[in-house]
């Protein structure tokens, strides 16, 4: 009888995101929606109180979507955070 091995514990020093891959993708989609509504990434970055180059890296997938960014996106779109994270956010704000 062979002993079952446990999967290795995650490296405690490794970076983890608060959001899973699907949630991050939904936030990125919402960011693109905001860009279409506001016209430029600079305008979106201003609305989210962040640097536009960091925002563009995040949208392209070069940086993780943080939970705080997701909350700011939900507020700017005037949607519930739950709706944003499951991809139901179309947004009633900015119209």
């Amino acid at each position: 009888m062979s002993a079952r091995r446990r999967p290795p514990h995650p490296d405690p020093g490794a970076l983890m995101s608060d959001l899973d891959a699907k949630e991050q993708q939904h936030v990125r989609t919402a960011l693109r929606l905001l860009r279409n509504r506001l016209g430029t990434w600079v305008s979106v970055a201003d609305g989210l109180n962040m640097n536009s180059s960091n925002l563009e890296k995040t949208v392209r997938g070069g940086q993780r979507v943080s939970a705080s960014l997701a909350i700011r996106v939900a507020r700017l779109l005037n949607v519930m955070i739950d709706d944003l994270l499951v991809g139901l956010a179309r947004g009633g704000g900015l119209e």
Side-chain angles (χ1 to χ4, degrees):
M1 186 189 260
S2 65
R4 285 183 20 174
R5 290 182 154 210
R6 289 186 198 179
H9 292 288
D11 177 5
L15 293 175
M16 288 187 62
S17 176
D18 293 328
L19 306 177
D20 67 30
K22 276 192 168 189
E23 292 168 332
Q24 289 188 54
Q25 190 55 48
H26 293 311
V27 174
R28 288 184 176 105
T29 299
L31 286 166
R32 290 182 185 98
L33 173 66
L34 282 170
R35 197 247 181 231
N36 287 338
R37 288 186 182 179
L38 297 176
T40 66
W41 287 118
V42 171
S43 297
V44 176
D46 287 346
L48 296 171
N49 194 31
M50 69 182 298
N51 179 291
S52 63
S53 65
N54 287 341
L55 175 62
E56 290 183 54
K57 287 178 194 172
T58 301
V59 171
R60 287 192 313 264
Q63 288 185 248
R64 290 183 174 101
V65 175
S66 67
S68 65
L69 176 59
I71 290 168
R72 287 181 279 158
V73 169
R75 285 180 179 158
L76 193 55
L77 281 171
N78 195 30
V79 297
M80 300 290 293
I81 186 69
D82 293 347
D83 290 342
L84 174 66
L85 295 178
V86 297
L88 298 176
R90 295 292 177 252
L94 308 174
E95 297 179 308

